[in-house]
Amino acid sequence: MSNIKKRLSAERRFKFYGQVGVFLSLLFVSLLIIKIFSTGSGAFFRTTIETDIFFDPELMNVDQNSSDKEISRASFEKLADGVIDFNFKNLSEDEFIKIREMYTRRFDYQLRDYFLKNKEVINNTVTLEISASSDLDQIVKGNYPRNVPESQRKINDYQLTILDELTSKEKIGSTFNFWFFTNGDSRDPETAGILGAIMGSLYALMICLVFSFPIGLFASVYLEEFTKPGKMTDLIEVNINNLAAVPSIVFGLLGLGMLIGVFNMPFQVPLVGGLTLGFMTLPTIIIACRSSLRAVPPSIRHGALALGATKVQTTFHHVVPLALPGTLTGTIIGMAQALGETAPLLMVGMVAFVMEIPGGPLDPATGLPSQIYLWSESAERGFIEKTSAGIMLLLLFLIVMNLAAILIRRKVEVKW
Amino acid sequence: MVNIISTKNVNVHYGDKQAINNISLDFMKNKVTALIGPSGCGKSTFLRCLNRMNDVIEICKVEGQIYMNDTDIYSNEIEVEHLREKIGMVFQKPNPFPKSIFDNVAYGPRIHGFTDKKNEMDEIVVTALKKAGLFEEVKDRLDDLGTSLSGGQQQRLCIARAIAVKPEVILMDEPCSALDPIATSIIEELITELKESYTIIIVTHSMQQAARVSDKTAFFHLGNLIEEGDTTKIFTKPDNQKTNDYITGRFG
Amino acid sequence: MQYLALLLLFAVSYGFFYFGKNRALKIKFSNNARLASLPDYYGYFLVLIVLLPSLLIWFFLLIYKPTFEEMYVMTPTLFPDLANWSDSKLGLILNKITNLSLIVNIPEVDLMKGQLSLLNMSSESEKIAAKNLASFDSIYGWSVVVVFILLPIIIGLLVSRLINQKLNVQPLVEKIIINIIRLSSIIAILITFGIFFSLIFEAIKFFQFVNFMDFFFNTSWNPNRAWVISSAETVDKEVLKDAFGWIPLLTGTLLVGSVAMFVALPLGLASAIYLAEYASPKVRDIAKPIIEILAGIPTVVYGFFAALTLAPMLKQFGDSVGINISAESALAAGLAMGVMIIPFVSSLSDDVIRSVPNPLREGSYALGATKSETIKKVILPAALPGVMGSFLLAISRAIGETMIVVMAASLRANLTFNPLEPATTITTQIVTALIGDVEFTNPKTLVAFALGLTLFVMTLILNVIAVVIVRKYREKYE
């Protein structure tokens, strides 16, 4: 009897191990997601300082009669300095610099943009929400500890007192950070945006799709419909399966060595990044396309052939349209993989600091994952939340793509 | 009577395996010929030689002569697509395309360029459906999927699809084996109507069906043609003992 | 401009489809006879004839535009000492000229401060080059447009005269289509060759600087020593003797990989067993996709998690119990990688376990064995080859994984088997070698390809073994 008891408790223990395995795996997923969301959500808001601004014509090189072009080329730095003198009276030089540091470095740009839209404000005073510097932003959000010695803080004691003063006057506010979605990269965390990286990834994915979908589909059609089974087909089969398991960084080396090294294509551009991702996605797409071509029953082919259709007509009138939903699902999943890949982008140089938003696949750009990598390597504290926010966007795109694939599979795919 | 298809010394190999042994058989115009025999006897393989559907199978090799209206259908000058326009085929399992009923029937005429005018195409489709005895049942839903029809209707759609190309010969490979008895009897009736305008060669495993619909019968066994002749003769007093054994149900 | 031209090209081809089709129809009706091919095929015929040459030309123009630009702009008449410039200097000057070309034709009064200073910093010959570049760009743009519209129209009109009643274009069109799709499948194969040859060629260049034996058997890795190198002829291989020793990278890779497998194997296998044998269908349907999410998360996310959360956590934990855990320890990277690999192990093993035939299970239950005894004594031994295959695939994943180690592991080579110490990996060093200046003449860059080759061969061998094992196993039960 005791033997049975022992065996049964062994049974319970074994089942428990299994449950622990599942539980820990699930725990990791939730931990990761929670961590990313809790650090990243801050990036969507930006701390502002309510500031009175007197548009003093003497400090500006332009007036309300100036053309837009002149205004956008004029410097507003003097006005920005004047604004600080105007809001904080009787500052010493040192104090002035410290307060200027509390505002974003792009203070003057913000003033200029406002003036461009509201030229009538000249000689008037308006109250604007001016963006704070990233360090101040981090202190306000509580990401920097306040109760440490001054030497370990980015914000010094004087700035803290000013901050507290402003807070008590309810001048510290928070606004939705549109810049994150409309700007390119920047050295200053508060103005750094993700749009450049999104466009870079978009162009790269477009190139990737244009390369890998037709070639993948055509190659699968050729392999499934036009070749005889034999040594050659086996070889291609093994080849493609192996290609699917090659590490992505090796594809990056292919892009670098072949496209840039041999074909002399430019560095850093989505064209090369996209082609490299395309090489990587091709086996995935071919495998998906072949299995959905194979799922089309032979009786359809025979029916068309018996009516006197040629092989090409049979294939393109009947087989390919029927396999299309399956191939689309496979392609979307392949694209999602390509979107998340970082290493190939690193290899072909799509990790540089690029401020401009790329206008096409031949402009220098970063990709979404490589921008995340770049920000994560950055020393500034303000970039940590940017990194997490970037990851949130990346995950969002991936979820949307995978959902689309699932929906297509459910709705359109022909069941045999 | 005129022979529309005649075959001489046909041998078929699947790789190393011989499936058809030296068969010579002629088919008369506007008659129904039934090919009967136990499963695996090569009757379907032989049928597929007649419209070169065996070309699809890589390892299949066909030897011998097959003439249609005195032209060698395996000669290099014959385009297989053109041949299949002349010889239609209906398969064991109904295989309509997952397209509308109209498009199913119109597909053949379209690829062979019968007409470029919409009203002419409508006429071709309606005629074919009428001939296949399906028109009355589907005239209000020509845009429905062909695959949404019942099994028997699907098979008649496939017959209409074959007829629409205006073939001279229609090959039927056990067209009723996947159908229920009522659908089967409708198709059998249809076959007797169709022989007015077409030559029909039907493979069947049902001796009753062969007896009901065919004028001529050929009995196959293990890749050999054992006996052929008028259906009444084959079923009443066959010359060969094996034929007799088969139709009396001793094996098969 | 180019994209507009491309769009126009497609519009022109589309027009030619109807042009060809209508021409064929007109012939048909005027002669009142059947055409050799369907009218549509005359349309397809013209489209292919018009589209293919222009697309090919466009592709080459697109790829070689920078080369043409350089040839046009960097002439020895403007820059007499051009031949002596290094690649990086050439790149810098070209970049400057490109920026300059955007502003060189704007009157000076309209320039912004930064643009003005760029203009003032530039030499006269650079300004001329920039002007040349600007004119080249507009000439190039227009020539593309002209070639794309005029060329196809001329070809199309000429070829369309060939259309007559007897011309059977269908076989030709089908032949072209078959060849296009054949070409596609050849491209798929060429990628493998491309990988192999681009790795081999650059690796051979690398081994002109470094001894083969030094690379594979030396234990010290200091690639920065290669900065002194400029060309292969002048190199004394002894200088680089201790610069590129592969061994510490290999041990680092294996160390991180082992930590990862130490996490992924038990967790993955336990989850697989639980989900395959114990869990109700409902739990399975929910838990399985969630675990598979782990495989869909980009690796850069794991890297960030490992570097930002895991590593400091481990260090803190180490400090609190008095062990020194490095901030760039193999442990942190390995743990994150292990989590990433769990779904590979679990879903592959799950498939394998579920494919063990039921009679085996029932036989064991009929003898009075408990579920766990059945799993341990019957199912796992039967599924072992398949499970082994999935482990090998997971190991190959771990070895080739890049971003996690780049972000969380160390850059410094360290010959150690202690997971608490920092370690570097092959993939990390490939990335390090290629970030910054890429010079295909310096062993510091070229080593990436030699490393890539070792990585490619290692993962290939693992995959082949895994596939063979899994296939053998499948044959046994199918």
Side-chain angles (χ1 to χ4, degrees), chain C residues 9 13 16 41-55 151-160 162 169 172-173 176:
Chain C
L9 177 63
S13 328
F16 267 113
Y41 277 86
Y42 295 95
Y44 296 140
F45 173 63
L46 280 192
V47 168
L48 288 172
I49 293 286
V50 160
L51 206 56
L52 290 181
S54 292
L55 278 182
L151 184 75
I153 289 180
I154 291 168
I155 294 180
L157 286 178
L158 283 180
V159 174
S160 70
L162 293 175
V169 286
L172 186 67
V173 169
I176 295 177

mmCIF file of all heavy atoms in Angstrom, chain C residues 9 13 16 41-55 151-160 162 169 172-173 176:
data_model
loop_
_atom_site.group_PDB
_atom_site.id
_atom_site.type_symbol
_atom_site.label_atom_id
_atom_site.label_comp_id
_atom_site.label_asym_id
_atom_site.label_seq_id
_atom_site.Cartn_x
_atom_site.Cartn_y
_atom_site.Cartn_z
ATOM 1 N N LEU C 9 5.272 54.241 -66.420
ATOM 2 C CA LEU C 9 5.622 53.032 -67.163
ATOM 3 C C LEU C 9 4.507 52.001 -67.051
ATOM 4 O O LEU C 9 4.093 51.392 -68.045
ATOM 5 C CB LEU C 9 6.927 52.453 -66.612
ATOM 6 C CG LEU C 9 7.386 51.148 -67.235
ATOM 7 C CD1 LEU C 9 7.690 51.340 -68.707
ATOM 8 C CD2 LEU C 9 8.616 50.625 -66.521
ATOM 9 N N SER C 13 2.189 50.487 -70.002
ATOM 10 C CA SER C 13 2.034 49.052 -70.265
ATOM 11 C C SER C 13 0.565 48.663 -70.250
ATOM 12 O O SER C 13 0.108 47.884 -71.077
ATOM 13 C CB SER C 13 2.761 48.210 -69.223
ATOM 14 O OG SER C 13 3.879 48.859 -68.776
ATOM 15 N N PHE C 16 -0.948 49.548 -73.368
ATOM 16 C CA PHE C 16 -0.561 48.643 -74.448
ATOM 17 C C PHE C 16 -1.323 47.329 -74.405
ATOM 18 O O PHE C 16 -1.498 46.686 -75.438
ATOM 19 C CB PHE C 16 0.950 48.386 -74.428
ATOM 20 C CG PHE C 16 1.689 49.332 -75.321
ATOM 21 C CD1 PHE C 16 2.552 50.281 -74.793
ATOM 22 C CD2 PHE C 16 1.519 49.293 -76.695
ATOM 23 C CE1 PHE C 16 3.224 51.156 -75.615
ATOM 24 C CE2 PHE C 16 2.186 50.162 -77.520
ATOM 25 C CZ PHE C 16 3.037 51.100 -76.981
ATOM 26 N N TYR C 41 -4.202 37.515 -75.125
ATOM 27 C CA TYR C 41 -2.792 37.153 -75.169
ATOM 28 C C TYR C 41 -1.977 38.143 -75.986
ATOM 29 O O TYR C 41 -0.790 38.338 -75.728
ATOM 30 C CB TYR C 41 -2.611 35.730 -75.696
ATOM 31 C CG TYR C 41 -2.796 34.722 -74.603
ATOM 32 C CD1 TYR C 41 -4.046 34.242 -74.281
ATOM 33 C CD2 TYR C 41 -1.709 34.305 -73.849
ATOM 34 C CE1 TYR C 41 -4.225 33.350 -73.256
ATOM 35 C CE2 TYR C 41 -1.871 33.412 -72.818
ATOM 36 C CZ TYR C 41 -3.141 32.930 -72.519
ATOM 37 O OH TYR C 41 -3.299 32.061 -71.494
ATOM 38 N N TYR C 42 -2.621 38.770 -77.004
ATOM 39 C CA TYR C 42 -1.886 39.806 -77.735
ATOM 40 C C TYR C 42 -1.617 40.976 -76.807
ATOM 41 O O TYR C 42 -0.574 41.621 -76.876
ATOM 42 C CB TYR C 42 -2.676 40.244 -78.968
ATOM 43 C CG TYR C 42 -2.830 39.121 -79.976
ATOM 44 C CD1 TYR C 42 -3.959 38.309 -79.990
ATOM 45 C CD2 TYR C 42 -1.814 38.857 -80.882
ATOM 46 C CE1 TYR C 42 -4.080 37.271 -80.890
ATOM 47 C CE2 TYR C 42 -1.935 37.814 -81.791
ATOM 48 C CZ TYR C 42 -3.064 37.020 -81.787
ATOM 49 O OH TYR C 42 -3.175 35.981 -82.657
ATOM 50 N N GLY C 43 -2.570 41.240 -75.906
ATOM 51 C CA GLY C 43 -2.366 42.289 -74.910
ATOM 52 C C GLY C 43 -1.222 41.937 -73.961
ATOM 53 O O GLY C 43 -0.295 42.720 -73.777
ATOM 54 N N TYR C 44 -1.259 40.721 -73.400
ATOM 55 C CA TYR C 44 -0.188 40.282 -72.490
ATOM 56 C C TYR C 44 1.173 40.352 -73.190
ATOM 57 O O TYR C 44 2.175 40.753 -72.618
ATOM 58 C CB TYR C 44 -0.412 38.836 -72.024
ATOM 59 C CG TYR C 44 -1.652 38.631 -71.198
ATOM 60 C CD1 TYR C 44 -2.440 37.503 -71.371
ATOM 61 C CD2 TYR C 44 -2.015 39.544 -70.218
ATOM 62 C CE1 TYR C 44 -3.577 37.290 -70.609
ATOM 63 C CE2 TYR C 44 -3.152 39.338 -69.457
ATOM 64 C CZ TYR C 44 -3.929 38.213 -69.660
ATOM 65 O OH TYR C 44 -5.039 38.013 -68.909
ATOM 66 N N PHE C 45 1.157 39.930 -74.438
ATOM 67 C CA PHE C 45 2.377 39.902 -75.229
ATOM 68 C C PHE C 45 3.013 41.297 -75.254
ATOM 69 O O PHE C 45 4.187 41.475 -74.918
ATOM 70 C CB PHE C 45 2.016 39.425 -76.637
ATOM 71 C CG PHE C 45 3.129 39.499 -77.641
ATOM 72 C CD1 PHE C 45 4.272 38.745 -77.478
ATOM 73 C CD2 PHE C 45 3.010 40.312 -78.758
ATOM 74 C CE1 PHE C 45 5.282 38.785 -78.413
ATOM 75 C CE2 PHE C 45 4.024 40.361 -79.699
ATOM 76 C CZ PHE C 45 5.161 39.604 -79.521
ATOM 77 N N LEU C 46 2.217 42.303 -75.606
ATOM 78 C CA LEU C 46 2.761 43.658 -75.668
ATOM 79 C C LEU C 46 3.212 44.131 -74.290
ATOM 80 O O LEU C 46 4.265 44.754 -74.164
ATOM 81 C CB LEU C 46 1.718 44.617 -76.241
ATOM 82 C CG LEU C 46 1.573 44.616 -77.758
ATOM 83 C CD1 LEU C 46 0.740 45.795 -78.207
ATOM 84 C CD2 LEU C 46 2.933 44.663 -78.436
ATOM 85 N N VAL C 47 2.425 43.832 -73.256
ATOM 86 C CA VAL C 47 2.793 44.272 -71.909
ATOM 87 C C VAL C 47 4.167 43.727 -71.529
ATOM 88 O O VAL C 47 5.050 44.456 -71.090
ATOM 89 C CB VAL C 47 1.744 43.823 -70.870
ATOM 90 C CG1 VAL C 47 2.271 44.030 -69.465
ATOM 91 C CG2 VAL C 47 0.455 44.590 -71.050
ATOM 92 N N LEU C 48 4.371 42.434 -71.749
ATOM 93 C CA LEU C 48 5.653 41.821 -71.373
ATOM 94 C C LEU C 48 6.796 42.428 -72.178
ATOM 95 O O LEU C 48 7.848 42.764 -71.647
ATOM 96 C CB LEU C 48 5.599 40.310 -71.602
ATOM 97 C CG LEU C 48 4.740 39.534 -70.610
ATOM 98 C CD1 LEU C 48 4.605 38.084 -71.040
ATOM 99 C CD2 LEU C 48 5.361 39.597 -69.227
ATOM 100 N N ILE C 49 6.560 42.598 -73.485
ATOM 101 C CA ILE C 49 7.607 43.136 -74.358
ATOM 102 C C ILE C 49 7.971 44.559 -73.941
ATOM 103 O O ILE C 49 9.120 44.968 -73.988
ATOM 104 C CB ILE C 49 7.102 43.141 -75.824
ATOM 105 C CG1 ILE C 49 6.937 41.709 -76.319
ATOM 106 C CG2 ILE C 49 8.032 43.929 -76.720
ATOM 107 C CD1 ILE C 49 8.216 41.008 -76.607
ATOM 108 N N VAL C 50 6.958 45.313 -73.483
ATOM 109 C CA VAL C 50 7.176 46.717 -73.142
ATOM 110 C C VAL C 50 7.792 46.847 -71.750
ATOM 111 O O VAL C 50 8.690 47.642 -71.515
ATOM 112 C CB VAL C 50 5.812 47.452 -73.200
ATOM 113 C CG1 VAL C 50 5.857 48.731 -72.430
ATOM 114 C CG2 VAL C 50 5.445 47.719 -74.642
ATOM 115 N N LEU C 51 7.312 46.022 -70.830
ATOM 116 C CA LEU C 51 7.643 46.206 -69.419
ATOM 117 C C LEU C 51 9.041 45.673 -69.077
ATOM 118 O O LEU C 51 9.817 46.325 -68.384
ATOM 119 C CB LEU C 51 6.583 45.486 -68.576
ATOM 120 C CG LEU C 51 6.342 46.004 -67.177
ATOM 121 C CD1 LEU C 51 5.989 47.463 -67.205
ATOM 122 C CD2 LEU C 51 5.225 45.206 -66.524
ATOM 123 N N LEU C 52 9.351 44.482 -69.555
ATOM 124 C CA LEU C 52 10.566 43.807 -69.086
ATOM 125 C C LEU C 52 11.848 44.606 -69.357
ATOM 126 O O LEU C 52 12.630 44.804 -68.427
ATOM 127 C CB LEU C 52 10.654 42.402 -69.675
ATOM 128 C CG LEU C 52 9.619 41.434 -69.118
ATOM 129 C CD1 LEU C 52 9.778 40.058 -69.732
ATOM 130 C CD2 LEU C 52 9.729 41.336 -67.605
ATOM 131 N N PRO C 53 12.086 45.085 -70.600
ATOM 132 C CA PRO C 53 13.345 45.809 -70.807
ATOM 133 C C PRO C 53 13.437 47.067 -69.945
ATOM 134 O O PRO C 53 14.480 47.316 -69.327
ATOM 135 C CB PRO C 53 13.316 46.179 -72.291
ATOM 136 C CG PRO C 53 12.121 45.574 -72.872
ATOM 137 C CD PRO C 53 11.291 44.975 -71.817
ATOM 138 N N SER C 54 12.321 47.807 -69.851
ATOM 139 C CA SER C 54 12.370 49.047 -69.079
ATOM 140 C C SER C 54 12.627 48.769 -67.600
ATOM 141 O O SER C 54 13.394 49.477 -66.955
ATOM 142 C CB SER C 54 11.062 49.821 -69.229
ATOM 143 O OG SER C 54 10.951 50.298 -70.541
ATOM 144 N N LEU C 55 11.985 47.727 -67.074
ATOM 145 C CA LEU C 55 12.184 47.406 -65.652
ATOM 146 C C LEU C 55 13.630 47.014 -65.395
ATOM 147 O O LEU C 55 14.225 47.414 -64.394
ATOM 148 C CB LEU C 55 11.254 46.267 -65.224
ATOM 149 C CG LEU C 55 9.831 46.681 -64.883
ATOM 150 C CD1 LEU C 55 9.035 45.471 -64.418
ATOM 151 C CD2 LEU C 55 9.823 47.742 -63.795
ATOM 152 N N LEU C 151 11.005 54.851 -74.596
ATOM 153 C CA LEU C 151 11.478 53.513 -74.968
ATOM 154 C C LEU C 151 10.334 52.517 -75.070
ATOM 155 O O LEU C 151 10.161 51.888 -76.119
ATOM 156 C CB LEU C 151 12.533 53.052 -73.959
ATOM 157 C CG LEU C 151 13.190 51.725 -74.270
ATOM 158 C CD1 LEU C 151 14.186 51.892 -75.401
ATOM 159 C CD2 LEU C 151 13.885 51.156 -73.043
ATOM 160 N N PRO C 152 9.499 52.406 -74.027
ATOM 161 C CA PRO C 152 8.408 51.432 -74.139
ATOM 162 C C PRO C 152 7.435 51.765 -75.253
ATOM 163 O O PRO C 152 6.959 50.861 -75.942
ATOM 164 C CB PRO C 152 7.715 51.482 -72.777
ATOM 165 C CG PRO C 152 8.248 52.652 -72.088
ATOM 166 C CD PRO C 152 9.556 52.982 -72.681
ATOM 167 N N ILE C 153 7.172 53.059 -75.467
ATOM 168 C CA ILE C 153 6.204 53.393 -76.515
ATOM 169 C C ILE C 153 6.756 52.998 -77.876
ATOM 170 O O ILE C 153 6.062 52.385 -78.696
ATOM 171 C CB ILE C 153 5.856 54.899 -76.465
ATOM 172 C CG1 ILE C 153 5.000 55.167 -75.224
ATOM 173 C CG2 ILE C 153 5.098 55.320 -77.710
ATOM 174 C CD1 ILE C 153 4.597 56.596 -75.051
ATOM 175 N N ILE C 154 8.035 53.276 -78.089
ATOM 176 C CA ILE C 154 8.628 52.920 -79.387
ATOM 177 C C ILE C 154 8.621 51.407 -79.571
ATOM 178 O O ILE C 154 8.140 50.888 -80.589
ATOM 179 C CB ILE C 154 10.064 53.479 -79.489
ATOM 180 C CG1 ILE C 154 10.000 54.999 -79.582
ATOM 181 C CG2 ILE C 154 10.767 52.911 -80.711
ATOM 182 C CD1 ILE C 154 11.337 55.675 -79.409
ATOM 183 N N ILE C 155 9.109 50.694 -78.547
ATOM 184 C CA ILE C 155 9.124 49.231 -78.661
ATOM 185 C C ILE C 155 7.718 48.703 -78.903
ATOM 186 O O ILE C 155 7.480 47.895 -79.796
ATOM 187 C CB ILE C 155 9.709 48.598 -77.384
ATOM 188 C CG1 ILE C 155 11.177 48.948 -77.235
ATOM 189 C CG2 ILE C 155 9.553 47.075 -77.431
ATOM 190 C CD1 ILE C 155 11.818 48.367 -76.004
ATOM 191 N N GLY C 156 6.783 49.224 -78.088
ATOM 192 C CA GLY C 156 5.410 48.733 -78.166
ATOM 193 C C GLY C 156 4.815 48.960 -79.543
ATOM 194 O O GLY C 156 4.208 48.058 -80.128
ATOM 195 N N LEU C 157 5.010 50.164 -80.099
ATOM 196 C CA LEU C 157 4.419 50.463 -81.405
ATOM 197 C C LEU C 157 5.041 49.599 -82.489
ATOM 198 O O LEU C 157 4.349 49.076 -83.365
ATOM 199 C CB LEU C 157 4.604 51.950 -81.736
ATOM 200 C CG LEU C 157 3.693 52.880 -80.929
ATOM 201 C CD1 LEU C 157 3.978 54.328 -81.271
ATOM 202 C CD2 LEU C 157 2.230 52.543 -81.194
ATOM 203 N N LEU C 158 6.378 49.437 -82.401
ATOM 204 C CA LEU C 158 7.051 48.610 -83.409
ATOM 205 C C LEU C 158 6.548 47.177 -83.357
ATOM 206 O O LEU C 158 6.185 46.589 -84.385
ATOM 207 C CB LEU C 158 8.568 48.644 -83.185
ATOM 208 C CG LEU C 158 9.269 49.915 -83.665
ATOM 209 C CD1 LEU C 158 10.756 49.838 -83.382
ATOM 210 C CD2 LEU C 158 9.025 50.099 -85.167
ATOM 211 N N VAL C 159 6.532 46.626 -82.130
ATOM 212 C CA VAL C 159 6.167 45.210 -82.008
ATOM 213 C C VAL C 159 4.703 44.990 -82.374
ATOM 214 O O VAL C 159 4.347 43.961 -82.945
ATOM 215 C CB VAL C 159 6.466 44.707 -80.583
ATOM 216 C CG1 VAL C 159 5.952 43.295 -80.396
ATOM 217 C CG2 VAL C 159 7.957 44.735 -80.323
ATOM 218 N N SER C 160 3.865 45.989 -82.079
ATOM 219 C CA SER C 160 2.435 45.780 -82.338
ATOM 220 C C SER C 160 2.173 45.623 -83.835
ATOM 221 O O SER C 160 1.163 45.050 -84.240
ATOM 222 C CB SER C 160 1.622 46.942 -81.776
ATOM 223 O OG SER C 160 1.865 48.097 -82.538
ATOM 224 N N LEU C 162 3.650 43.672 -85.659
ATOM 225 C CA LEU C 162 3.829 42.253 -85.984
ATOM 226 C C LEU C 162 2.536 41.465 -85.829
ATOM 227 O O LEU C 162 2.409 40.360 -86.349
ATOM 228 C CB LEU C 162 4.885 41.628 -85.054
ATOM 229 C CG LEU C 162 6.320 42.114 -85.221
ATOM 230 C CD1 LEU C 162 7.197 41.485 -84.158
ATOM 231 C CD2 LEU C 162 6.821 41.741 -86.610
ATOM 232 N N VAL C 169 0.697 34.007 -80.339
ATOM 233 C CA VAL C 169 1.553 34.536 -79.282
ATOM 234 C C VAL C 169 1.420 33.761 -77.983
ATOM 235 O O VAL C 169 2.258 33.877 -77.108
ATOM 236 C CB VAL C 169 1.280 36.026 -78.990
ATOM 237 C CG1 VAL C 169 1.827 36.877 -80.096
ATOM 238 C CG2 VAL C 169 -0.188 36.270 -78.765
ATOM 239 N N LEU C 172 4.395 31.793 -76.797
ATOM 240 C CA LEU C 172 5.494 32.692 -76.467
ATOM 241 C C LEU C 172 5.263 33.332 -75.100
ATOM 242 O O LEU C 172 6.145 33.344 -74.232
ATOM 243 C CB LEU C 172 5.595 33.768 -77.547
ATOM 244 C CG LEU C 172 6.793 34.693 -77.407
ATOM 245 C CD1 LEU C 172 8.067 33.910 -77.653
ATOM 246 C CD2 LEU C 172 6.676 35.857 -78.373
ATOM 247 N N VAL C 173 4.037 33.859 -74.904
ATOM 248 C CA VAL C 173 3.711 34.490 -73.628
ATOM 249 C C VAL C 173 3.892 33.490 -72.494
ATOM 250 O O VAL C 173 4.494 33.791 -71.462
ATOM 251 C CB VAL C 173 2.263 35.028 -73.645
ATOM 252 C CG1 VAL C 173 1.826 35.437 -72.255
ATOM 253 C CG2 VAL C 173 2.155 36.203 -74.590
ATOM 254 N N ILE C 176 7.503 32.912 -71.748
ATOM 255 C CA ILE C 176 8.094 34.012 -70.967
ATOM 256 C C ILE C 176 7.680 33.894 -69.503
ATOM 257 O O ILE C 176 8.504 34.008 -68.596
ATOM 258 C CB ILE C 176 7.659 35.390 -71.530
ATOM 259 C CG1 ILE C 176 8.216 35.577 -72.932
ATOM 260 C CG2 ILE C 176 8.155 36.515 -70.624
ATOM 261 C CD1 ILE C 176 7.780 36.867 -73.609
#
